[in-house]
Amino acid sequence: GVVGTMTMEKGAGIPAGIAAGILTGAMCGLTNGFLTTRLRINPFIVTLGMLLIVRGAALIVTNGMPIHSVPRGFAYLGEGSLVGVPFVLVHVLLERTKMGRYAFAIGSNPDAAYYAGIPVKFHTTAVYATCGLLTGLAGMIESSRLMTGQPTAGQGYELPAIAAVVIGGGSLRGGEGGVVGTLIGAFIMGLLSNGCDLLGIQPFVQQAIIGAVIILAVSVDELRKRQAV
């Protein structure tokens, strides 16, 4: 979001700014994939380290100040008119393409996928790059809704995102999940947050509730897998 709004602030058009933000996310994802597959660094460490690097870089280049000089037309991206397009594209990618089938196979058992002839390193890197691209798009949508480039935007989104995926049927072990289920999980998380607000529950308690929901969802997933075995 910071890169995209800075690009527009320097006089580039709205499409160029959006493209800059999306490509920045894709490059971060590609770097994560390279470090994970080529250097064999633990994915959790790689993604956590990249998270801290990018957040620090955003604060450095902006001096901790938001970027306000963005064109008015940029607000269109965050109005929800195109909200269904990314979901449909990712659903088709996962369910109807070779890359999607390979992603599920690698997530289920990377060793079996390797011996089945799947280029595991290439497709794992491609998945990381795709996730980074979508993250860049999400950052630009967030900036469009705020009409600013906030260097601190997105903080605290990690756990609700994980919870939405797990509640929607995704497995932390990999190999399971889908866009429709994740979308339902996101709706449930939003309903939970709004319900807490309507009931007057303090934000600090809401965080504890979200943490409990994550543990419950993962526990249910583990029990389901044990019963299946």
Side-chain angles (χ1 to χ4, degrees):
V2 166
V3 171
T5 51
M6 287 184 67
T7 301
M8 288 183 280
E9 185 183 44
K10 294 183 181 298
I14 295 175
I18 295 173
I22 293 175
L23 289 176
T24 299
M27 288 302 300
C28 290
L30 186 63
T31 302
N32 286 339
F34 178 82
L35 293 175
T36 300
T37 59
R38 304 299 174 178
L39 300 185
R40 297 184 180 179
I41 304 176
N42 186 283
F44 177 78
I45 300 300
V46 170
T47 51
L48 178 63
M50 180 61 70
L51 171 67
L52 298 176
I53 290 171
V54 172
R55 281 183 176 170
L59 292 170
I60 290 171
V61 299
T62 60
N63 291 320
M65 301 297 293
I67 301 169
H68 296 289
S69 301
V70 294
R72 291 185 178 180
F74 179 52
Y76 175 78
L77 184 65
E79 291 176 350
S81 301
L82 303 176
V83 68
V85 176
F87 291 110
V88 173
L89 291 178
V90 175
H91 178 74
V92 172
L93 177 67
L94 288 177
E95 301 293 338
R96 303 298 180 187
T97 68
K98 182 186 294 185
M99 177 181 172
R101 294 194 297 272
Y102 284 177
F104 281 113
I106 295 170
S108 298
N109 191 325
D111 292 331
Y114 174 79
Y115 287 114
I118 297 175
V120 174
K121 292 183 178 180
F122 174 81
H123 284 282
T124 301
T125 304
V127 169
Y128 273 102
T130 302
C131 289
L133 184 148
L134 293 172
T135 303
L137 175 60
M140 294 310 300
I141 293 174
E142 177 84 347
S143 297
S144 176
R145 295 180 64 184
L146 300 174
M147 284 305 286
T148 58
Q150 289 283 354
T152 58
Q155 292 187 6
Y157 286 7
E158 301 88 2
L159 289 182
I162 294 172
V165 173
V166 175
I167 292 173
S171 174
L172 295 180
R173 295 184 180 182
E176 294 183 21
V179 175
V180 176
T182 300
L183 184 60
I184 294 172
F187 283 144
I188 293 174
M189 291 302 299
L191 182 64
L192 180 63
S193 178
N194 290 335
C196 289
D197 290 335
L198 293 174
L199 293 173
I201 299 176
Q202 296 181 354
F204 310 115
V205 179
Q206 291 184 30
Q207 293 183 15
I209 293 175
I210 291 174
V213 168
I214 294 175
I215 294 176
L216 178 61
V218 173
S219 300
V220 171
D221 179 60
E222 289 294 326
L223 291 173
R224 182 172 56 84
K225 286 186 178 297
R226 292 177 184 177
Q227 291 177 354
V229 174

